[in-house]
Amino acid sequence: MLANPWAITFLIAIIFFIVLAAMVNLIRKSFAKGSRLPTALQQQILLISVPKESLRDKERAATPQDIQDDIGAAENLFSVLGSLSAQRGARPWLYGRTDHFSFEMVAQNGQIFFYVAAPNYLSDSLKQQLLAVYPHAHIEEVSDYNFFSPQGAVLGAYLKLGREFIFPIKTFKKMEGSDPLEGLVNPLSKVAKTDGAAIQFIVRSAYKKWHRKGMRVAREMQQGKAMAMALRQAGLGNIFDKFFGLFSFIFSFFRTKPQDERNLDKLEEQYRLSPMEEEAVKGIEEKTSRAGFDVNVRIVTSAVKREQAKNYLDNIINAFGQYNIYQYGNGFKKIAKVNIDRLVSDFISRSYHSKYHLLLNSEEMTSLWHLPLPSTGAPNIHWLEARKAQPPVNLPQEGILLGENIYRGVTTPIRIKEEDRQRHVYIIGKSGTGKSVLQANMIIQDMQNGEGVCVIDPHGDLVEAVLEHVPPERAEDVILFDPADYQRPMGINMLEFHNPEQKTFVINEMIKIFDKLYDLKATGGPMFEQYMRNAMLLMMEDSQSGSTLLEIPKVLADANFRRYKLSRCVNPVVKDFWEKEAEKAGGEASLANMVPYITSKLTPFISSDLMRPIIAQQKSSFNFREAMDGQKIILVKLSKGAIGEMSCNLLGMVIVGKILMAALSRVDIPQERRRSFYLYIDEFQNFITDTISVILSEARKYKLCLTIAHQYIGQLVKNNDTSIRDAVMGNAGTMIAFRIGPDDAEIVAKQLAPVFNEYDVINIPKYNAYLKLLIDNQNPPAFNIKPLPPQLGDKAIAAKIRELSRLKYGRDREIVEREILERVKAVQKPEV
């Protein structure tokens, strides 16, 4: 035979082609290995999180059908990815394909994260498809994670299918309404915080020829052939079946079938399928009818101890048993021997390894990986804390900057126009969520723009932060009112007025202030209001002899002083009250009985060494109307810890009232000449009376723009009176909601509906907020905003401005006390 030249030539040709194939294979492996790292570096890694709250009716628990529908929606993602054209040509054949995706579930730092990695050129398309399926998902491009411990043990495994790829695994549609993801994430939830584990699915669209094999097997079986024969004819089955089929095919050309074999074929054609085999045919057809993927299934675990890493690995592998169909179906098996170093390297680089290839369709991939459902009960899943939303297209391009909206990877600056601020800004949120930082940034911009500003701060931190950012050229504009400045007190006369029309406003506001402080309806009633009102009217008839809170007890208790005031009074109604009602109705003895009801409410202020030099000065240190028109910067530092809560609230309410009175007095200026003045009130519920509705509805006309902030809605309701709450909710044009408590969620969520719900406002992350922005007097749907971070200030310039304001507006304490004492002693006898 060896002498035959044709045989020798044939043998040499075979050897040559074998050697050539081996060399080509080595070259391909070398090129593929060399391209693995560059390919890994050209991937985007996306961390995906979804909210745990469902938009479905919260009163109804998820039914099995709901769960199937939710999982089924994710199948659209894999259907689209499976329809992508598989890479072809010389380059993919030589270097390997690069069009694969990685879907991962990772247990790290005590939480379970869901990642997707994609080539850079496919990442945008993948994001769009993910958001089409999960519209409320948050997709964040991140750097790669690392849960490997330098001293720990690392184990891993590949999974393969137990039978030919044409046989399906059990999918979510056959799991009777249960979510297969639960079975996979439960072992991950048991991974300790110091350890790590990951399930990685490397997925790429399969060449379409795989459909033909499955269709051929199904067709052959439907024609009455046994499954083994159908597999053999399709080139499937075990290795022996494949060789037998190959040789049978070759020898069939060289011999004629004997009669008994033709009879055997006839018997095979008459084979009847069992019900289980018919079900298998149906499963093959269903699998073949969907988009297919070449898949690598990798599992990697890391732990301090090898035994623990092995335990994690075994538990995860066992969880894949839920997908097994034991007869005429398929399931997963662990590949016995793998190179762990190569496995970890491929895991890190997210490479596709053809040796561990298996083929799954879109329904099967959906069953293996999808984002968690609201019904998913496994612990430690990294949920999206709150939804995000796209800002409107007509965002203002001018005005101060509130922050930025980050949505689907796009960052948009958010501004608010001056005209819209005139309809006021309402801020609500728990302590420490970012309200003060937002206000500080707004105030700083106003100061830099040359605007008039007033800040009322019950804590002092906001004023201190703002003071460090005052532009040097505006140092002369700053009025820093700090009641805790013992040495140089600034005067605020609560009963001061500048025209007769303001007198009634001042008195009504003082009655409301004391009602807010002491709940007069319960403690004083109409008698308190009557005596208090007439006492103030009497004092204000002659301001020269004293018209401050200090004189009110003196009018009530000192008959000589009261007669002196009456001698200067020209108001007949006031005189009649004191001479015909107060004195004659019961005399001084009856009047003396009334005095304690009033003086007891004034004594805490006039007896305080801090408050007396402030409220007992006859002339205020500055004029609010002049400050407003002159675009001054009024910083009111009402530190509760320094002056007490009652004094803080009293001064705050007085200042708010004076600013409102100053704004209303602008009626004498043409509207086009009125400049906006911005009033910021932190913890505003402490400083407003029921006149807040007047401020919110009327102050806009006089260019007084409010920004009010507080912590929870219950602060606006007293004795079931919701008028203040209703006035704020109904009149504030722009609403900014930071994280709030469950009790407020329903009310706030109604303002932000339909975009956000109660779950969102309760769980919004720290230093983030929801914004319902007024734009050209219209409210588009709400969206999320991240306010600007705090800015570093100049403490040196703050100290200089503080000292300048003290010297300019404060007075020496000894001089103030001396003046008060002289005024008290000035009138000892009534004039005759």
Side-chain angles (χ1 to χ4, degrees):
M1 177 179 176
L2 293 175
N4 188 335
W6 290 104
I8 295 174
T9 303
F10 182 71
L11 181 60
I12 292 173
I14 291 176
I15 294 173
F16 172 78
F17 281 113
I18 291 174
V19 173
L20 181 63
M23 291 178 62
V24 170
N25 192 45
L26 286 173
I27 293 172
R28 287 182 63 196
K29 285 185 176 180
S30 176
F31 280 127
K33 186 176 181 181
S35 67
R36 193 182 309 150
L37 180 59
T39 301
L41 295 176
Q42 295 175 7
Q43 292 179 333
Q44 280 192 11
I45 303 168
L46 308 175
L47 172 61
I48 309 172
S49 50
V50 290
K52 187 170 175 56
E53 182 75 6
S54 173
L55 294 178
R56 191 184 294 114
D57 184 1
K58 292 182 295 183
E59 303 297 325
R60 179 173 65 86
T63 65
Q65 187 59 48
D66 291 332
I67 293 173
Q68 283 214 4
D69 292 344
D70 290 342
I71 300 174
E75 189 177 352
N76 295 330
L77 169 66
F78 288 103
S79 296
V80 172
L81 298 182
S83 66
L84 297 176
S85 297
Q87 285 183 341
R88 297 178 181 274
R91 184 177 180 84
W93 180 83
L94 186 59
Y95 290 95
R97 289 171 56 180
T98 61
D99 58 343
H100 56 264
F101 303 88
S102 180
F103 293 87
E104 303 168 12
M105 292 178 280
V106 180
Q108 183 183 18
N109 299 325
Q111 285 190 287
I112 301 172
F113 300 90
F114 289 76
Y115 291 93
V116 177
N120 289 335
Y121 69 94
L122 290 174
S123 61
D124 288 341
S125 177
L126 176 63
K127 290 177 186 177
Q128 292 171 7
Q129 295 304 323
L130 282 166
L131 292 170
V133 176
Y134 300 102
H136 298 293
H138 176 58
I139 301 176
E140 181 182 1
E141 187 175 344
V142 296
S143 56
D144 210 348
Y145 56 86
N146 179 11
F147 57 72
F148 299 111
S149 173
Q151 292 79 30
V154 178
L155 297 178
Y158 278 101
L159 298 186
K160 65 177 182 179
L161 292 174
R163 301 187 68 186
E164 291 75 18
F165 67 83
I166 63 170
F167 293 102
I169 61 172
K170 184 184 290 186
T171 66
F172 69 93
K173 292 185 178 179
K174 296 180 175 62
M175 292 189 179
E176 299 178 354
S178 63
D179 184 1
L181 186 73
E182 295 255 14
L184 294 184
V185 295
N186 276 325
L188 293 176
S189 68
K190 304 298 191 297
V191 176
K193 204 169 185 178
T194 55
D195 303 331
I199 304 173
Q200 184 183 74
F201 302 98
I202 305 296
V203 174
R204 68 184 191 187
S205 58
Y207 292 124
K208 306 305 179 186
K209 63 183 180 181
W210 78 275
H211 290 279
R212 294 198 294 270
K213 293 189 176 183
M215 292 170 61
R216 182 175 180 183
V217 171
R219 185 170 60 249
E220 295 288 347
M221 291 181 67
Q222 287 171 340
Q223 291 175 357
K225 291 185 178 179
M227 182 175 291
M229 180 61 68
L231 290 172
R232 188 181 304 164
Q233 292 186 352
L236 300 172
N238 59 42
I239 190 69
F240 301 105
D241 288 337
K242 291 178 180 178
F243 274 112
F244 180 79
L246 176 63
F247 283 111
S248 297
F249 175 76
I250 294 173
F251 284 110
S252 66
F253 291 98
F254 300 100
R255 66 185 179 88
T256 306
K257 293 182 180 180
Q259 182 64 33
D260 54 346
E261 289 190 18
R262 291 197 294 271
N263 293 336
L264 180 61
D265 289 343
K266 190 174 181 180
L267 289 172
E268 288 178 347
E269 291 174 1
Q270 296 172 351
Y271 178 80
R272 295 180 62 86
L273 300 180
S274 69
M276 290 298 296
E277 287 177 316
E278 290 177 351
E279 190 67 24
V281 172
K282 182 179 178 182
I284 293 171
E285 289 179 328
E286 287 179 352
K287 177 163 184 175
T288 308
S289 66
R290 287 177 167 80
F293 297 94
D294 296 327
V295 182
N296 283 165
V297 181
R298 292 191 191 104
I299 304 168
V300 177
T301 61
S302 173
V304 177
K305 296 182 178 180
R306 182 180 179 84
E307 295 79 8
Q308 187 62 61
K310 187 177 186 307
N311 185 42
Y312 294 148
L313 183 63
D314 291 342
N315 289 340
I316 295 172
I317 292 173
N318 292 337
F320 280 85
Q322 65 180 323
Y323 298 101
N324 292 351
I325 300 177
Y326 291 99
Q327 189 172 12
Y328 298 120
N330 221 331
F332 290 102
K333 293 171 61 176
K334 176 185 175 183
I335 295 177
K337 293 183 179 181
V338 296
N339 184 323
I340 186 62
D341 292 335
R342 174 67 188 275
L343 184 149
V344 172
S345 176
D346 287 343
F347 169 79
I348 294 172
S349 62
R350 296 178 172 84
S351 301
Y352 183 84
H353 202 310
S354 58
K355 181 179 178 180
Y356 306 113
H357 149 275
L358 50 86
L359 199 145
L360 301 171
N361 71 5
S362 57
E363 183 180 314
E364 292 170 322
M365 273 308 306
T366 304
S367 303
L368 291 168
W369 191 98
H370 55 267
L371 294 178
L373 309 179
S375 58
T376 303
N380 303 331
I381 291 176
H382 176 73
W383 296 100
L384 175 64
E385 293 179 291
R387 292 183 180 91
K388 298 187 176 184
Q390 184 177 10
V393 296
N394 60 331
L395 281 175
Q397 302 302 310
E398 59 185 30
I400 65 168
L401 185 65
L402 296 177
E404 56 189 20
N405 170 270
I406 304 174
Y407 181 71
R408 297 185 177 180
V410 178
T411 300
T412 306
I414 306 300
R415 298 181 178 274
I416 181 171
K417 296 199 296 187
E418 177 185 353
E419 293 79 7
D420 295 321
R421 293 180 69 187
Q422 291 172 10
R423 294 188 179 272
H424 316 301
V425 178
Y426 170 57
I427 305 171
I428 184 172
K430 288 184 175 182
S431 177
T433 54
K435 302 189 303 297
S436 295
V437 172
L438 171 61
Q439 293 179 84
N441 286 327
M442 295 173 68
I443 296 164
I444 291 168
Q445 292 179 74
D446 285 335
M447 294 190 304
Q448 292 171 343
N449 294 337
E451 304 287 358
V453 178
C454 178
V455 181
I456 300 178
D457 177 17
H459 307 296
D461 295 338
L462 178 58
V463 164
E464 291 296 332
V466 167
L467 198 60
E468 296 177 2
H469 294 87
V470 175
E473 64 274 12
R474 299 204 65 189
E476 290 281 351
D477 292 339
V478 177
I479 304 171
L480 175 59
F481 177 64
D482 184 0
D485 188 347
Y486 187 81
Q487 298 302 325
R488 293 192 65 82
M490 293 171 58
I492 297 287
N493 184 3
M494 304 176 182
L495 302 180
E496 190 175 29
F497 61 97
H498 301 286
N499 57 61
E501 291 78 15
Q502 291 182 350
K503 186 186 297 186
T504 302
F505 181 91
V506 169
I507 293 173
N508 289 338
E509 196 64 21
M510 287 303 302
I511 295 293
K512 292 174 183 177
I513 288 172
F514 279 95
D515 187 19
K516 177 79 178 286
L517 291 173
Y518 293 107
D519 191 9
L520 296 181
K521 295 179 179 64
T523 60
M527 291 296 291
F528 176 92
E529 180 178 344
Q530 186 181 31
Y531 276 83
M532 184 74 169
R533 182 183 297 276
N534 281 279
M536 289 188 287
L537 284 168
L538 181 59
M539 288 187 305
M540 294 165 79
E541 284 290 303
D542 179 39
S543 299
Q544 298 300 321
S545 58
S547 178
T548 68
L549 285 188
L550 185 67
E551 278 75 32
I552 293 179
K554 194 172 177 60
V555 165
L556 294 168
D558 189 335
N560 289 337
F561 183 72
R562 186 170 59 253
R563 292 191 188 99
Y564 174 79
K565 283 286 190 180
L566 284 169
S567 67
R568 300 297 184 99
C569 179
V570 295
N571 187 328
V573 177
V574 175
K575 292 188 72 171
D576 284 351
F577 172 79
W578 288 107
E579 294 176 353
K580 298 179 181 179
E581 293 185 42
E583 293 179 359
K584 290 189 175 181
E588 291 294 330
S590 176
L591 188 58
N593 292 331
M594 191 63 200
V595 170
Y597 287 105
I598 299 175
T599 58
S600 63
K601 296 169 178 58
L602 301 175
T603 301
F605 308 113
I606 60 179
S607 63
S608 168
D609 290 339
L610 277 176
M611 289 290 290
R612 185 177 57 256
I614 297 171
I615 63 176
Q617 292 191 50
Q618 183 61 41
K619 183 173 178 59
S620 298
S621 296
F622 59 93
N623 184 293
F624 283 90
R625 169 65 187 272
E626 292 176 0
M628 186 178 292
D629 292 342
Q631 301 295 287
K632 300 295 185 182
I633 301 172
I634 307 173
L635 304 179
V636 183
K637 183 181 177 182
L638 304 176
S639 303
K640 288 183 180 180
I643 65 174
E645 184 175 2
M646 189 77 78
S647 298
C648 169
N649 294 347
L650 174 69
L651 290 173
M653 283 187 281
V654 168
I655 291 173
V656 170
K658 284 187 172 295
I659 290 175
L660 176 59
M661 185 170 66
L664 296 177
S665 70
R666 282 178 146 189
V667 68
D668 59 359
I669 301 178
Q671 188 166 2
E672 63 274 8
R673 288 175 52 197
R674 299 170 192 163
R675 291 193 61 182
S676 294
F677 188 83
Y678 298 96
L679 172 60
Y680 294 84
I681 313 177
D682 196 15
E683 301 299 338
F684 80 100
Q685 76 282 352
N686 296 318
F687 308 126
I688 50 100
T689 62
D690 54 11
T691 55
I692 186 66
S693 58
V694 177
I695 299 176
L696 291 171
S697 59
E698 300 292 333
R700 175 185 61 83
K701 304 172 186 176
Y702 305 102
K703 300 290 183 72
L704 176 61
C705 312
L706 257 67
T707 298
I708 52 179
H710 72 128
Q711 297 181 20
Y712 59 94
I713 292 176
Q715 295 170 319
L716 308 183
V717 179
K718 186 176 181 181
N719 299 327
N720 296 321
D721 182 4
T722 63
S723 58
I724 293 178
R725 183 195 73 185
D726 298 339
V728 171
M729 293 292 179
N731 289 289
T734 294
M735 180 178 189
I736 305 174
F738 290 83
R739 180 184 294 176
I740 59 173
D743 293 340
D744 299 334
E746 183 178 358
I747 296 174
V748 174
K750 285 180 180 178
Q751 301 290 323
L752 304 173
V755 183
F756 303 112
N757 60 19
E758 291 94 326
Y759 177 87
D760 298 315
V761 295
I762 292 173
N763 293 283
I764 187 168
K766 192 176 182 180
Y767 308 135
N768 285 266
Y770 289 134
L771 171 62
K772 191 160 188 179
L773 180 66
L774 190 70
I775 303 176
D776 297 327
N777 204 27
Q778 293 184 339
N779 269 129
F783 55 93
N784 58 287
I785 183 174
K786 185 177 182 64
L788 302 173
Q791 306 175 35
L792 293 175
D794 188 338
K795 294 185 181 297
I797 196 171
K800 293 177 181 178
I801 293 174
R802 183 194 310 277
E803 191 61 26
L804 177 63
S805 178
R806 291 180 76 237
L807 295 173
K808 191 174 181 180
Y809 297 100
R811 300 179 65 202
D812 186 86
R813 179 182 180 83
E814 293 182 1
I815 297 175
V816 173
E817 291 282 20
R818 193 183 309 121
E819 287 182 357
I820 294 172
L821 184 61
E822 290 174 356
R823 197 171 74 242
V824 169
K825 294 179 178 180
V827 182
Q828 298 293 339
K829 296 181 180 180
E831 288 188 0
V832 180

